[in-house]
Amino acid sequence: MPSPDEIFEKVREALVEALGVDDDEVTPDAKLVSDLGAESIDFLDIVFRLEKAFDIKIPRGDLFPENILTDPQYIEDGKFTEAGLKELRERMPFADLDEFSQDPRREVFQDLFTVDTICKYVGTKVGVA
Amino acid sequence: MRWIWIDKFLEFESGRRAKAIKNLSLAEEHLHDHFPGYPVMPNSLIVEGLAQTGGILVGEQSGFEEKVVLAKVAKAVFHGPAVPGETLTYTAEVEAFQEGGAVVAGTAHVGDRLQAEVELFFAYLSDDERIQNLFEPKNFVFTMKLLGVFDVGRASGDGVAPPDAWTKLKELAKSNDTP
């Protein structure tokens, strides 16, 4: 079972390759989209590299539950509804949703995906968390 | 100009790997512009040739029913020029099929010399109507003209029939044109 440090190193390597960023840019609190410049297709790339690096299977929507964003019962007037937040908590137990819940705007949803979130997600898949 | 950047398949192992060649000739107009007095095959077109080789490999898995687009060139490293009179051999290998697309690793060789290494991501377009309107059939990795290359060397001698999805798209395009 890999240690949290080993997970971080492998996640870092995957992100450096997928996003063409420097090693030192990949810090635990770096946001994938706003800090590291990830675009939608990069998420497919990241998933592929994580699967390979950790020998795990990541079903579609497991790490990035994008289908929540298009469901009108979860999003209203550009904000997550109570039902939406509840769904997020269930789907993303690996993410820190406390701060986001205070101001759950759709456009800041992507900021939930930090390097640390990815590490925690991988942790749940390899049995560390 | 025809947007066909491979001449022939040498090998095709469904879902795993494909090998195609591209002969470089001074009859190709673009080589006279790239560059005047020093014709070299543009590396961008080598990536395109590898994407056509890999794209057909990916598309064939679904009988060409899924609409495949080249979504990302994750890596492209070039080791030297390819010039007229040479033959580029493109090898594409599927690294992974995912729900949303596929990852292909490719190499280009001139003889034994490694010329390029790429990693390509192909995405499947959903049947969403908005996306259908964005991408006409001509934008896909494979058009019927390109699939003609795939026919060369097929043992059965039968051509590849246009997949149902394409026929539907053509009808959709026609109905959009009608006022």
Side-chain angles (χ1 to χ4, degrees):
Chain A
M1 203 181 283
S3 72
D5 281 350
E6 281 165 350
I7 292 181
F8 176 74
E9 277 314 312
K10 280 188 178 180
V11 167
R12 175 174 4 217
E13 200 180 318
L15 293 174
V16 164
E17 280 178 17
L19 305 174
V21 290
D22 288 334
D23 271 23
D24 56 3
E25 290 178 78
V26 186
T27 56
D29 55 357
K31 298 177 177 97
L32 262 54
V33 175
S34 22
D35 295 332
L36 302 179
E39 293 176 23
S40 61
I41 191 66
D42 294 322
F43 289 104
L44 192 72
D45 191 345
I46 292 167
V47 163
F48 162 67
R49 284 174 208 281
L50 293 177
E51 285 185 338
K52 208 160 77 166
F54 294 98
D55 195 21
I56 52 175
K57 202 75 206 138
I58 303 178
R60 191 175 197 175
D62 203 33
L63 174 56
F64 307 111
E66 67 267 358
N67 55 344
I68 290 185
L69 296 175
T70 50
D71 193 324
Q73 63 162 319
Y74 297 144
I75 304 256
E76 230 176 67
D77 299 328
K79 278 189 172 186
F80 277 79
T81 59
E82 271 309 311
L85 285 171
K86 186 165 172 276
E87 180 75 8
L88 274 188
R89 279 191 198 97
E90 273 168 30
R91 298 271 299 271
M92 299 175 62
F94 48 88
D96 180 5
L97 294 167
D98 292 349
E99 199 187 318
F100 177 72
S101 306
Q102 306 298 315
D103 183 21
R105 279 173 297 140
R106 187 191 192 285
E107 65 257 35
V108 292
F109 170 70
Q110 62 187 35
D111 289 344
L112 285 175
F113 295 96
T114 62
V115 175
D116 190 48
T117 315
I118 306 290
C119 291
K120 285 198 176 119
Y121 171 78
V122 170
T124 63
K125 299 295 273 191
V126 296
V128 169
Chain B
M1 187 192 279
R2 298 278 187 255
W3 200 250
I4 302 175
W5 294 102
I6 45 181
D7 293 330
K8 181 169 89 167
F9 276 96
L10 297 181
E11 294 169 22
F12 197 93
E13 201 182 328
S14 179
R16 295 192 59 183
R17 69 197 290 271
K19 198 183 259 195
I21 55 167
K22 161 71 184 148
N23 289 312
L24 305 180
S25 159
L26 274 177
E28 293 177 74
E29 199 66 36
H30 65 97
L31 291 177
H32 294 269
D33 300 320
H34 187 281
F35 299 94
Y38 181 61
V40 286
M41 179 64 170
N43 284 333
S44 51
L45 291 177
I46 292 173
V47 173
E48 175 66 24
L50 283 160
Q52 293 188 352
T53 309
I56 289 182
L57 184 62
V58 171
E60 191 266 345
Q61 271 295 287
S62 65
F64 302 105
E65 291 292 345
E66 293 272 9
K67 290 169 282 294
V68 176
V69 288
L70 174 62
K72 177 173 174 177
V73 180
K75 173 183 138 183
V77 180
F78 303 96
H79 300 285
V83 300
E86 292 182 327
T87 298
L88 282 161
T89 305
Y90 297 141
T91 308
E93 277 185 49
V94 173
E95 294 215 319
F97 280 109
Q98 293 176 312
E99 279 175 73
V103 190
V104 168
T107 56
H109 282 83
V110 176
D112 292 335
R113 175 168 63 86
L114 178 66
Q115 193 275 333
E117 295 168 273
V118 297
E119 191 170 51
L120 307 173
F121 278 76
F122 294 93
Y124 302 134
L125 290 182
S126 67
D127 282 329
D128 192 295
E129 198 179 329
R130 187 177 55 89
I131 291 173
Q132 300 242 354
N133 288 335
L134 273 178
F135 293 91
E136 290 175 38
K138 65 175 195 284
N139 294 109
F140 301 152
V141 168
F142 29 83
T143 59
M144 278 321 281
K145 281 201 187 78
L146 179 56
L147 281 189
V149 183
F150 186 52
D151 284 342
V152 176
R154 268 164 74 97
S156 68
D158 301 330
V160 179
D164 286 350
W166 294 13
T167 319
K168 279 184 210 141
L169 264 182
K170 274 189 188 151
E171 281 164 10
L172 188 76
K174 260 189 215 156
S175 62
N176 284 350
D177 286 345
T178 328

